[in-house]
Amino acid sequence: MTQQAVAMTSDLDPDELVAIVEGRHGDPFGVLGPHKTADGETKVRTFFPGSLGVELLDSLSGTVLAVSARVHPAGVFEASVESGAKYRLKILWPGGAQETDDPYRFAPLLGELDLHLISQGTHYQLASALGANPIWVEDVEGVRFAVWAPNARRVSVVGDFNTWDGRRHPMRLRREAGVWEIFIPDLTVGERYKFEILDGQGSVLAQKADPVARAAEAAPSTASVVASPEPVRWRDARWMEKRASTNVLDRAISIYEVHAGSWLREMTDGGRSLDWFELSQRLIPYVKEMGFTHVELLPIMEYPFGGSWGYQPLGLFAPTGRYGTPEDFGYFVDRCHDSDIGVILDWVPAHFPSDVWGLARFDGTALYEHEDPREGYHRDWNTLIYNLGRAEVKGFLIASALEWLDRYHVDGLRVDAVASMLYRDYSRPEGEWIPNRYGGRENLEAIEFFKHLNSVVHERHPNVLMIAEESTAFPKVTASPEDGGLGFDMKWNMGWMHDTLNYMSDDPVYRKYHHSSMTFGMIYAYTERFVLPFSHDEVVHGKGSLLTKMPGDDWQKLANLRALYGFMWGHPGKKLLFMGCDIGQRSEWNHDTSVEWDLLDEPRHGGLQRLVRDLNRVYSYFPPLQYGDLNSDGFEWAVADDTEHSVLAMIRYDEKQKAVCLIVSNFTPVPRHRYRIGVPLDGLWRRILSTDDTVYGGSGMATSDAQSQTNAANGRSFSIEADLPPLSTVMFIRE
């Protein structure tokens, strides 16, 4: 085909031409790209600010079809070719030529079903529709970008590929869903990008990161990154098959809570955090050796401020770039599964930071958040609250949860700040909150959200754990939605944690006056399925470490902590322990430093670490220590009322009530010799663990197996006599 000359005039409306040049046109596909003319030709318009010229090339042979004429000095060009001609663009820049396909020659790509599901809030694979997806279209490789911004006047993709110029790649609006989309050829994985948005008044907003980006730059940079469509080559089929056929709630669950950036820092390299590969090599073997069944990571969804520890995220679909790529994170999960360790992620649907490049007033309106600050602003955290009454927002959050379960094979989500979502007056004075439609304080939209979230998750992943951090007495958190509950699998027992730590922080001489603090938890222990948490929240903000909460001299502090851990592992409920607590860290947690691993040079701290390991092994080995976690017929008090001596004794049964464990705690520094305890079965009660053993740093007071006697005690026909070491917990088994 011969080259054609084109006059420097255009039949394009001058106002539309100016709108394209100024980046104000809301329908760029109506102006740019190929358009048929009345005489049967095709007119191709392009806009490349700063370019010297544009040629149209035959897409097969590469020969010149037409040389575009400049129709506006800012860089709008126009050429005519025969109808149906397949072309590519050759853009002449001052620094050289660039060949590419024309983004404006491609038809809409998102299907009607995608758009319908997005608008209904039920597109549970949202990141496959919105965001940046590398795809092939008509044998052309590129990236399809799509973003929800229904109130915007114009949306553009910007990045290194177009010098971050919002005039270069304005997008097509799919009005039925308020979604903007464009396919940009020749882009691939690794490209940095954002969205430039004109609000309804025509003002240019700060360039926005992609809400559903699957990758992001490492902080403090804020651009989104085109991610690979395949995160990892999974080798965890054995784990996934086992998970699908096993009800994990019936087994021991012992969770090691970790902040990935400060578990261990590389001091020979400027004190940097470990990356996912290094954590795979060092954290996973440690968790395995310590006998924990799960590792729980503080939020690793992309977040701007390191001091938030991830609890103020802005990238709910993207693993933070701080520790490597999304593929690297997938590798870490895969290695955990290879070591039979489950992975739980903290996930935050309660709120998000107000950074201008994030979700705040995303298209110039309160899109993700509430407009009224009485509903949409968190005073405590200076953050914005998701508007759960909006279907698209609810769908966005549920799709985020599923992204981690589907794409990264994660085994559970611990949902943060549930209480703040359930109550409209949470941390708000009278007059600064809006009642629900019935005049009450409950957030009905949040209640419905949790029911929907957990129903969808459990339908798709029946044995994945959904855990609520809920600090109030809101009813039926772990009941099924069919029974009027929220549908969580477990809930953190914050009341037990506070009562227990308050008791243990008392001088032993005063503990008898607060004895009920240690027994009260059993009154409500089976109203929900509980996790007993000693989490990061208890060792920050001036609270000190768990060790420094304990009274007495250094020996007594460690003895108290050992007795507490023995009591905790013997008490009904799954277990959670924050990093550093396993070695008796002396300083409270600082996210900018490392766990005080050098303390292990001191035998008593190494002994505490060994105790935690042995408690996990005892917990996993003996069924009586598991069954009563969630079943009330698996627990009885043996001694609950000895306030004078501050002694507590628990009986734990297996499912058939044939194997029985006895857990006895002496919370004073006074040894109790030949202490009599009523037991339910005759026979030999074998001692399986004492927190006072010298191997753990204790005094080594002799505690032996005990043969039952017919002397009645504590309302039982049989009893044993046991020597109780000072500040200790001793465990016995009757098999």
Side-chain angles (χ1 to χ4, degrees), residues 63-172:
T63 58
V64 177
L65 297 178
V67 176
S68 297
R70 185 184 295 269
V71 297
H72 192 284
V76 180
F77 297 88
E78 191 173 272
S80 293
V81 294
E82 290 184 358
S83 180
K86 297 182 181 298
Y87 68 92
R88 282 173 60 85
L89 303 176
K90 183 177 182 179
I91 309 162
L92 306 177
W93 299 103
Q98 172 195 5
E99 288 191 22
T100 184
D101 270 274
D102 182 2
Y104 295 94
R105 78 171 180 83
F106 294 94
L109 297 177
L110 284 174
E112 294 302 318
L113 179 59
D114 280 319
L115 297 173
H116 173 74
L117 294 176
I118 291 169
S119 64
Q120 293 295 309
T122 55
H123 201 308
Y124 298 137
Q125 294 180 314
L126 193 63
S128 67
L130 301 182
N133 284 275
I135 60 173
W136 288 80
V137 180
E138 300 176 10
D139 296 324
V140 176
E141 184 179 16
V143 176
R144 186 195 68 213
F145 296 91
V147 63
W148 179 56
N151 304 302
R153 182 175 294 184
R154 185 267 292 166
V155 180
S156 298
V157 183
V158 294
D160 297 321
F161 48 86
N162 61 15
T163 67
W164 300 87
D165 186 343
R167 299 173 297 167
R168 285 275 301 276
H169 288 103
M171 305 169 78
R172 169 190 279 122

Side-chain angles (χ1 to χ4, degrees), residues 604-678:
R604 288 176 182 170
H605 289 272
L608 179 67
Q609 181 191 49
R610 183 169 182 172
L611 172 65
V612 172
R613 182 199 67 184
D614 289 352
L615 285 169
N616 278 330
R617 292 179 177 179
V618 166
Y619 178 35
S620 295
Y621 184 78
F622 291 103
L625 293 176
Q626 303 163 29
Y627 177 70
D629 281 349
L630 306 179
N631 300 280
S632 60
D633 60 335
F635 173 87
E636 289 179 357
W637 284 113
V639 177
D641 56 357
D642 190 356
T643 59
E644 187 62 31
H645 298 104
S646 298
V647 171
L648 289 164
M650 299 176 282
I651 295 174
R652 302 288 302 273
Y653 296 94
D654 70 353
E655 186 174 5
K656 297 181 180 179
Q657 296 201 336
K658 290 186 176 180
V660 186
C661 281
L662 175 68
I663 303 97
V664 189
S665 297
N666 174 15
F667 289 117
T668 71
V670 180
R672 307 294 177 190
H673 295 285
R674 301 183 66 180
Y675 189 91
R676 185 169 295 280
I677 306 166

